Amino acid sequence: MKAYNIPGHLRLAILSILVVIIGTGCSVTRGLKDNQAIVRKVTIKGVDKEFAEESLNYIDKEQQPNNWLNLQFYYLFSNKGKRKIGETPAILDSNLVEFSRLQIQKYLVNKGFLKAKVADSIVVKKKKAQLVFTATEGPLFKVRNFRDSIADPKVQALYRSTRKQYTHLNKGSRFDTDSLAYDRDQFYQVMKRNGYFDFYRQYINYLPDSSYNKSVVDVVMTIDNPEGKKEHPIYTINNTLITIARSNGRTNGKADTIQVDTQFRFVDFSGRFKPRTATDYVFQRKGELYDLDKQTLTTTRLSELNVFRNVPNPTYEKLSDSTNRLNTKIDIVPLKRMTDRVEAEFLFNQGRFGYNLGNTFTNRNIFKQAAILQVKLNWSILFDNGNSAVNDGIQNQDFRAGVSLIYPRLLLPFKFPNLAKFGVPHTTFSTNYQLFYQKGLVERKSFINSITYDFFETARKQHSVTPINIEFSSGSIDPVAREELLRQNRYSYVYLIGRKTFTLGSQYTFQYNANELNSYKNFIYFRGGLDLGGGILSLLSKAFNAPKDTLGQRTLFGFAFSQYVKTEIDYRWYRSLGGEKQLIFRFNPGIGIPYGNSDQLIFEKNFYTGGANDIRAWLPRTLGPGQFNRASYGTDGRADTTRARLKYLDQFGEIKMVANLEYRYKLVDNFFGAKLKGAMFIDAGNVWRLHKTADNPNGEFKFNNILQSTAIGIGTGLRFDLGFFIFRLDAAFKFKDPQLSGSDQWVFIKHFGEVFGNGSFKEAYLRNNKTGIDASGKVLGDGYSFMQLNFGIGLPF
């Protein structure tokens, strides 16, 4: 995700173009022939509230009123129907109106109103049609008696023992054919989970006997035996043949054939896999009853290994004897073993420009065990436009290299239960190196090594444990910058970005309902993390009486080590508003506390806000801390230089609180091959320093100052949903800026006239926050920006 800051005249132009597009030709009837009308309103009367909304879905789609915006996109882009963009106008068709009437009537009958009748009427005015469907529901029929008639005693016992778990059909309940279908499907699933391989839904029938005068129905559920048999056969699993083709799907030539044990035979035409890669995730075991759930679990987990391209449902062969056993065959097609992906992004921000180059190499099957090796390289560079007395030319560079080895199982020195029932567990060994350089200030290096275990407790509960996380970081400050910072008593910055330190820690993360994030259900998502560092090193240093450095910190191997505890929570509340409309509230607090051998967090452990997934009206790492304002550095040349040097380093804190409220909705079903969706949002929050510091005046956290020091942004956005990914564009505006004082904080209201233009407020801000003056006397620095455009892939949360 990248954030872009667009000059004011371009922002106004972009919004103007959107207004012109939307407003062009607002008529909904243009292009209609004299004998045509467009359906603009549908009303259904006389339907119980419980079924009113659902009954609208039984109106033929070609007779449902168009979304106004969808229709405008059709008129604007579709070139008389040659391109399918937006929605085709819903032209009135009396045959489809009659079809819709019958469908609504049938729906009401299925819901228990067996005497229901529906009438329709059409009103046309100025080529706009209104459809009115009037229902006479009649009495609601209820179940008076219910009984089963099942020929097989074992099936009858299974039905009676499980029925209460799923049935919607009870004495006194509404007679609903949808409930009958639901009950039938649920018991079919029960049979398939208990060895009844040959069982079909068609064996289950419901025989209703209704009394129209009393509005009651007697229901008999019947299950017949297979023709010519006294009972339904129960099957068990016998042998399993696993065949892995080449990545092109072919199975010709010589193959590695291995008899693994008494159940599994493994045939690998690719020659790339060990048997355990597949057998660990086959949940149907020899001698067990055939179970549809275990079959589904097998194909799902094999697919989740991310090394196979095609994992179809197994095929079964019945043994010719009378033992009712099934031989299983699983045919798998692997993905290509190696892939390489190159990514590139271009950044333009207030005249600064740069690029980001990335390369990811993936080997999907290390050691023939479906272990994935990933090597990632990333290089970012940003050039300055000369708006600074210090950072002319290359402003900063960031180089990152990482290697990860991911095993699809938990590698532990002791036996552990198979946790693959709810998701594939992983063990990840990773090594990462980062080199960050900012001209005229600092060069920082960090080296991180970790082992992480990820596993699922249930389908909703996911755990991630990192027992070993070793981090080493070091920084070297530009000598001129160091002297300048010390002269201004900014020891905190010198100490924070210039020191060498390491830590040995552990991390734990818990996630709940991550599997629901792409749904439109009502649910709560939770993610909580705990990061502990330096505890073991502290015990060792005391046990061996390790020496202290000049700052009084104990050292090991000649370096001071860090001690801290850090936690962060991401809580989200998702509420469906019908269709593809959704309301989401997010609360994301965090705190990091140094202790013991440390009085500051490691630089990389601090919190930052702003950016496309956070408080979107601010660029990443440019908000806060608290009410800190760079103008507090002063107005002389030394202050200008300090602002330039610390441009990306003074907006961090040990405390973070962010809240977001976002409303998402669908705009157009088909916009150049994608669904066009919209969003409106409010973002609020900030970061704060844990204690009062000379480096960040008014940046500390105080309970009585939370509202005054909280930033607020508002905005709207578009999401282009292509199915396999979402391209996002958000326009966010600063609404309340905590670096200002009093009523000036409410910048969007008080200075609305300068949102897309210049004025006294922006001029004063530039003077107070300048980073230098050029030879011609022009003030250098970044001016105040109200609007922030964010481009990216995926939803913000």
Side-chain angles (χ1 to χ4, degrees):
M1 175 66 72
K2 288 290 180 185
Y4 299 82
N5 204 328
I6 307 299
H9 64 281
L10 290 180
R11 298 179 210 143
L12 183 59
I14 291 171
L15 292 181
S16 299
I17 291 171
L18 289 174
V19 170
V20 170
I21 289 176
I22 293 173
T24 301
C26 292
S27 172
V28 297
T29 60
R30 69 181 190 272
L32 296 182
K33 298 178 181 178
D34 292 339
N35 62 340
Q36 289 182 325
I38 185 172
V39 178
R40 293 305 299 152
K41 186 176 181 181
V42 174
T43 304
I44 297 181
K45 300 179 179 180
V47 176
D48 189 275
K49 288 183 180 181
E50 183 180 354
F51 311 110
E53 184 175 351
E54 181 67 21
S55 62
L56 288 169
N57 295 328
Y58 289 87
I59 297 171
D60 190 89
K61 291 189 178 299
E62 293 185 19
Q63 299 299 286
Q64 295 182 10
N66 298 101
N67 174 281
W68 180 86
L69 187 59
N70 287 355
L71 195 58
Q72 297 306 321
F73 276 119
Y74 175 83
Y75 286 138
L76 187 61
F77 295 113
S78 289
N79 192 20
K80 297 182 181 180
K82 293 181 181 179
R83 292 191 298 268
K84 294 182 179 180
I85 300 172
E87 289 182 2
T88 305
I91 305 299
L92 178 65
D93 186 326
S94 58
N95 291 326
L96 294 180
V97 173
E98 171 62 14
F99 175 77
S100 300
R101 182 192 70 79
L102 292 173
Q103 289 298 104
I104 296 171
Q105 183 171 294
K106 182 179 179 181
Y107 167 70
L108 293 175
V109 170
N110 288 340
K111 287 300 176 184
F113 300 98
L114 302 187
K115 297 182 180 181
K117 299 294 182 183
V118 177
D120 64 77
S121 62
I122 303 172
V123 178
V124 179
K125 186 176 182 181
K126 295 182 180 180
K127 294 189 176 183
K128 297 178 183 178
Q130 177 181 355
L131 309 183
V132 180
F133 296 93
T134 304
T136 304
E137 290 182 332
L140 175 64
F141 281 68
K142 295 187 177 182
V143 176
R144 180 172 60 183
N145 294 304
F146 175 85
R147 66 182 180 88
D148 62 69
S149 177
I150 303 174
D152 187 334
K154 291 181 181 178
V155 175
Q156 185 180 58
L158 182 61
Y159 175 72
R160 292 181 177 180
S161 65
T162 60
R163 181 175 181 271
K164 290 183 179 180
Q165 301 172 12
Y166 53 80
T167 187
H168 289 175
L169 197 66
N170 293 296
K171 186 176 181 180
S173 64
R174 181 178 68 246
F175 177 71
D176 185 339
T177 56
D178 290 337
S179 294
L180 298 182
Y182 176 81
D183 279 26
R184 170 187 288 164
D185 186 69
Q186 289 300 301
F187 187 61
Y188 166 78
Q189 299 291 334
V190 169
M191 294 289 283
K192 287 291 188 176
R193 289 194 290 267
N194 284 273
Y196 292 93
F197 172 76
D198 270 344
F199 191 83
Y200 300 99
R201 289 180 179 83
Q202 289 77 2
Y203 284 118
I204 306 173
N205 291 288
Y206 292 92
L207 304 177
D209 181 13
S210 60
S211 172
Y212 269 67
N213 293 329
K214 296 181 179 180
S215 303
V216 293
V217 180
D218 294 330
V219 180
V220 179
M221 192 273 276
T222 66
I223 299 179
D224 295 326
N225 285 334
E227 186 175 353
K229 295 184 178 180
K230 295 181 179 180
E231 61 181 8
H232 288 267
I234 299 176
Y235 289 86
T236 57
I237 299 298
N238 190 46
N239 295 329
T240 301
L241 171 64
I242 300 174
T243 302
I244 299 182
R246 295 183 174 86
S247 57
N248 59 12
R250 296 177 181 175
T251 55
N252 56 334
K254 186 178 179 181
D256 294 334
T257 301
I258 300 173
Q259 185 69 44
V260 180
D261 54 26
T262 58
Q263 177 182 355
F264 292 104
R265 190 160 65 95
F266 183 79
V267 181
D268 183 9
F269 288 91
S270 71
R272 290 165 41 190
F273 298 91
K274 290 184 178 180
R276 185 182 175 186
T277 303
T279 58
D280 275 1
Y281 297 98
V282 176
F283 294 88
Q284 297 189 117
R285 294 293 172 172
K286 188 170 185 176
E288 294 181 348
L289 295 179
Y290 164 80
D291 187 336
L292 181 62
D293 285 354
K294 289 183 178 180
Q295 171 188 296
T296 303
L297 189 60
T298 296
T299 56
T300 301
R301 295 295 171 264
L302 288 173
S303 298
E304 289 175 357
L305 290 175
N306 201 29
V307 295
F308 300 127
R309 174 164 54 91
N310 185 23
V311 186
N313 286 327
T315 57
Y316 299 93
E317 180 184 0
K318 300 174 186 176
L319 269 66
S320 57
D321 56 25
S322 60
T323 58
N324 291 341
R325 290 179 294 168
L326 299 172
N327 282 337
T328 308
K329 185 180 180 184
I330 303 174
D331 296 313
I332 305 174
V333 179
L335 289 165
K336 290 183 178 180
R337 182 173 183 174
M338 299 183 185
T339 60
D340 193 71
R341 185 178 73 250
V342 178
E343 297 175 315
E345 296 174 306
F346 179 76
L347 168 66
F348 177 80
N349 184 354
Q350 286 191 339
R352 295 189 300 271
F353 65 94
Y355 55 81
N356 180 43
L357 297 176
N359 186 87
T360 301
F361 167 79
T362 302
N363 186 325
R364 300 181 186 276
N365 192 30
I366 292 289
F367 311 128
K368 296 186 176 183
Q369 295 182 39
I372 296 176
L373 175 70
Q374 280 194 337
V375 180
K376 293 186 176 182
L377 301 174
N378 187 274
W379 181 41
S380 300
I381 186 168
L382 186 65
F383 297 89
D384 196 270
N385 59 1
N387 280 347
S388 159
V390 177
N391 295 324
D392 191 14
I394 294 178
Q395 182 166 322
N396 61 55
Q397 298 185 69
D398 189 0
F399 174 76
R400 304 186 185 198
V403 179
S404 297
L405 182 60
I406 308 168
Y407 277 86
R409 57 185 59 88
L410 299 183
L411 300 181
L412 295 166
F414 50 86
K415 286 189 176 181
F416 203 77
N418 186 352
L419 299 176
K421 181 177 180 181
F422 301 104
V424 175
H426 292 99
T427 301
T428 302
F429 301 89
S430 66
T431 296
N432 294 279
Y433 173 79
Q434 180 181 7
L435 171 63
F436 175 80
Y437 167 78
Q438 183 171 330
K439 184 179 179 181
L441 182 61
V442 68
E443 178 182 290
R444 284 192 61 81
K445 302 173 184 177
S446 64
F447 190 59
I448 303 174
N449 296 276
S450 65
I451 302 174
T452 301
Y453 299 100
D454 299 296
F455 59 92
F456 290 83
E457 178 187 347
T458 69
R460 297 179 181 274
K461 299 177 181 179
Q462 183 179 0
H463 303 268
S464 178
V465 180
T466 303
I468 300 175
N469 186 72
I470 304 173
E471 300 186 32
F472 174 82
S473 61
S474 65
S476 59
I477 305 179
D478 180 90
V480 176
R482 179 185 178 87
E483 292 301 320
E484 200 170 283
L485 292 170
L486 291 176
R487 191 165 48 244
Q488 298 180 41
N489 298 321
R490 302 194 180 277
Y491 304 107
S492 179
Y493 280 135
V494 174
Y495 174 62
L496 182 68
I497 65 178
R499 66 174 175 164
K500 295 181 180 179
T501 185
F502 77 103
T503 188
L504 170 63
S506 300
Q507 299 167 353
Y508 170 72
T509 302
F510 171 74
Q511 284 192 86
Y512 179 74
N513 267 344
N515 58 324
E516 300 286 5
L517 287 177
N518 294 321
S519 73
Y520 288 96
K521 298 178 182 178
N522 296 327
F523 66 95
I524 291 172
Y525 168 80
F526 177 84
R527 184 179 187 273
L530 181 64
D531 186 354
L532 303 173
I536 295 176
L537 297 179
S538 177
L539 293 175
L540 290 175
S541 69
K542 292 177 181 178
F544 292 98
N545 195 24
K548 295 183 180 181
D549 61 13
T550 56
L551 296 175
Q553 294 183 321
R554 290 192 181 272
T555 61
L556 288 173
F557 313 111
F559 300 104
F561 61 89
S562 295
Q563 271 186 277
Y564 64 89
V565 57
K566 179 181 177 182
T567 184
E568 185 176 3
I569 291 173
D570 186 352
Y571 172 88
R572 306 179 201 170
W573 179 83
Y574 290 79
R575 186 62 54 185
S576 174
L577 302 178
E580 296 184 38
K581 298 188 293 292
Q582 197 175 35
L583 183 69
I584 303 100
F585 170 75
R586 178 196 189 204
F587 182 53
N588 178 210
I591 184 171
I593 302 174
Y595 72 97
N597 209 47
S598 301
D599 56 9
Q600 287 200 59
L601 288 178
I602 302 174
F603 181 73
E604 289 78 12
K605 293 291 182 180
N606 282 284
F607 292 105
Y608 307 88
T609 51
N613 300 316
D614 202 297
I615 302 179
R616 284 161 275 191
W618 277 262
L619 282 167
R621 301 192 175 203
T622 62
L623 174 60
Q627 292 187 265
F628 169 66
N629 191 324
R630 290 186 190 178
S632 63
Y633 287 151
T635 58
D636 59 10
R638 185 173 295 172
D640 296 345
T641 304
T642 301
R643 270 189 289 268
R645 292 191 190 281
L646 300 179
K647 181 179 290 186
Y648 293 103
L649 289 177
D650 50 17
Q651 281 76 21
F652 65 87
E654 297 90 348
I655 298 174
K656 166 188 174 181
M657 278 196 289
V658 171
N660 311 88
L661 183 66
E662 181 162 304
Y663 171 62
R664 299 171 184 168
Y665 52 94
K666 183 179 69 175
L667 289 171
V668 180
D669 276 317
N670 189 345
F671 183 73
F672 293 95
K675 276 189 178 182
L676 181 61
K677 299 179 180 180
M680 294 184 291
F681 53 84
I682 301 175
D683 303 326
N686 207 337
V687 292
W688 292 265
R689 299 304 305 271
L690 192 61
H691 305 291
K692 188 174 183 178
T693 64
D695 301 276
N696 300 123
N698 298 317
E700 70 274 13
F701 180 82
K702 293 184 290 188
F703 281 104
N704 62 358
N705 196 39
I706 292 178
L707 294 180
Q708 290 89 334
S709 58
T710 295
I712 300 176
I714 60 173
T716 186
L718 297 175
R719 286 91 166 92
F720 302 88
D721 188 349
L722 298 175
F724 51 93
F725 75 91
I726 296 175
F727 175 73
R728 173 162 59 99
L729 168 62
D730 286 332
F733 297 85
K734 293 181 176 70
F735 191 82
K736 178 180 177 291
D737 193 337
Q739 70 175 311
L740 305 174
S741 301
S743 62
D744 279 335
Q745 286 193 339
W746 302 93
V747 289
F748 192 80
I749 297 174
K750 187 165 184 179
H751 305 292
F752 183 78
E754 298 183 41
V755 171
F756 296 109
N758 295 317
S760 59
F761 168 71
K762 287 186 175 179
E763 292 174 1
Y765 183 88
L766 180 59
R767 286 196 306 270
N768 294 331
N769 292 271
K770 69 182 189 299
T771 57
I773 299 177
D774 66 12
S776 64
K778 178 184 176 183
V779 176
L780 301 177
D782 297 329
Y784 194 86
S785 174
F786 280 89
M787 179 180 172
Q788 180 65 42
L789 286 180
N790 298 292
F791 300 87
I793 302 297
L795 296 173
F797 48 83

